[in-house]
Amino acid sequence: DAGITQSPRYKITETGRQVTLMCHQTWSHSYMFWYRQDLGHGLRLIYYSAAADITDKGEVPDGYVVSRSKTENFPLTLESATRSQTSVYFCASSDILQETQYFGPGTRLLVL
Amino acid sequence: RKEVEQDPGPFNVPEGATVAFNCTYSNSASQSFFWYRQDCRKEPKLLMSVYSSGNEDGRFTAQLNRASQYISLLIRDSKLSDSATYLCVVNSRGSARQLTFGSGTQLTVLP
């Protein structure tokens, strides 16, 4: 019972490079979310998806791209990484019938 | 002003103590309220939902005051394992799926 997984767990990249963070859930949850967590800001929503092929912007979408071709996967791409995107990224999912969000273990990204 | 505000702490309390956390939210149209717990360097996990009439789950009691836009969490008989950051979470965007997280209150329970 894997639940929700993220890969990689740790990533170091350089400014200007493209980076893709993966998120996979085995529950067939309709909703999926990407957050970033920074000191002093708490968790901030980047993008979310209500179903396959349906995505929408959250609070801080600039510099990020998402796609959702399959219900179980929700990759997040940083098109051209910047130092300000150094953060911990959490993916989450929730069932259509409840609001509880279940989080993955997070990806720690360092942009040099 | 942040949509969800919490005292960041840290709260350092001895085992067995009672500790209370407070949270205020700015959007009076908010409909759903939660407390999540986050252990150091781990993912957030739902601790409990908060209902208008108040609710209890073992040693944990949550209260909601809609008039004052205020949420509280009370932990009785603190255990070492309660040490974590407690996140106040509000559905404040009119969508049942978009949650706004407070920055968290850090609790350390001391032996």
Side-chain angles (χ1 to χ4, degrees):
Chain A
D1 183 5
I4 183 165
T5 57
Q6 294 183 235
S7 62
R9 295 292 313 279
Y10 303 89
K11 177 74 176 178
I12 299 174
T13 190
E14 295 177 338
T15 301
R17 290 191 181 263
Q18 183 179 82
V19 177
T20 295
L21 309 183
M22 304 302 293
C23 179
H24 176 79
Q25 52 106 353
T26 59
W27 294 309
S28 299
H29 283 170
S30 296
Y31 288 86
M32 295 188 75
F33 309 84
W34 274 107
Y35 294 90
R36 60 179 289 173
Q37 187 172 35
D38 307 287
L39 280 173
H41 288 283
L43 282 154
R44 291 182 291 174
L45 182 65
I46 304 171
Y47 270 96
Y48 68 102
S49 169
D53 297 321
I54 300 174
T55 62
D56 209 345
K57 296 178 180 179
E59 181 185 355
V60 288
D62 293 344
Y64 303 96
V65 174
V66 294
S67 62
R68 195 168 176 205
S69 57
K70 293 184 178 181
T71 299
E72 60 267 30
N73 296 324
F74 191 37
L76 175 74
T77 298
L78 287 66
E79 294 186 295
S80 178
T82 64
R83 289 195 182 91
S84 65
Q85 292 177 310
T86 292
S87 188
V88 181
Y89 291 85
F90 287 103
C91 178
S93 71
S94 70
D95 182 78
I96 196 168
L97 296 176
Q98 59 177 318
E99 291 182 88
T100 302
Q101 294 187 14
Y102 298 89
F103 285 79
T107 294
R108 296 182 179 277
L109 176 67
L110 174 61
V111 182
L112 299 176
Chain B
R1 182 186 174 189
K2 291 183 179 179
E3 289 191 54
V4 180
E5 298 212 49
Q6 297 182 247
D7 181 345
F11 285 64
N12 298 316
V13 302
E15 263 188 297
T18 295
V19 61
F21 305 138
N22 303 318
C23 166
T24 57
Y25 60 95
S26 60
N27 187 343
S28 59
S30 299
Q31 298 178 5
S32 306
F33 309 90
F34 311 89
W35 284 100
Y36 275 68
R37 170 193 169 129
Q38 186 172 24
D39 293 308
C40 187
R41 301 179 70 84
K42 295 288 185 72
E43 71 272 22
K45 294 182 179 179
L46 178 70
L47 178 66
M48 59 194 302
S49 301
V50 185
Y51 302 117
S52 297
S53 55
N55 50 297
E56 190 173 304
D57 183 0
R59 298 181 292 108
F60 299 84
T61 301
Q63 298 278 354
L64 169 64
N65 184 323
R66 286 186 184 271
S68 301
Q69 295 179 206
Y70 171 97
I71 306 161
S72 66
L73 176 68
L74 183 76
I75 305 175
R76 293 183 301 277
D77 189 23
S78 299
K79 311 292 185 190
L80 295 176
S81 57
D82 293 334
S83 297
T85 296
Y86 291 83
L87 307 174
C88 178
V89 184
V90 175
N91 165 6
S92 61
R93 299 186 187 277
S95 161
R97 301 302 163 174
Q98 291 195 61
L99 303 179
T100 301
F101 288 75
S103 298
T105 298
Q106 185 180 341
L107 171 67
T108 300
V109 180
L110 304 169

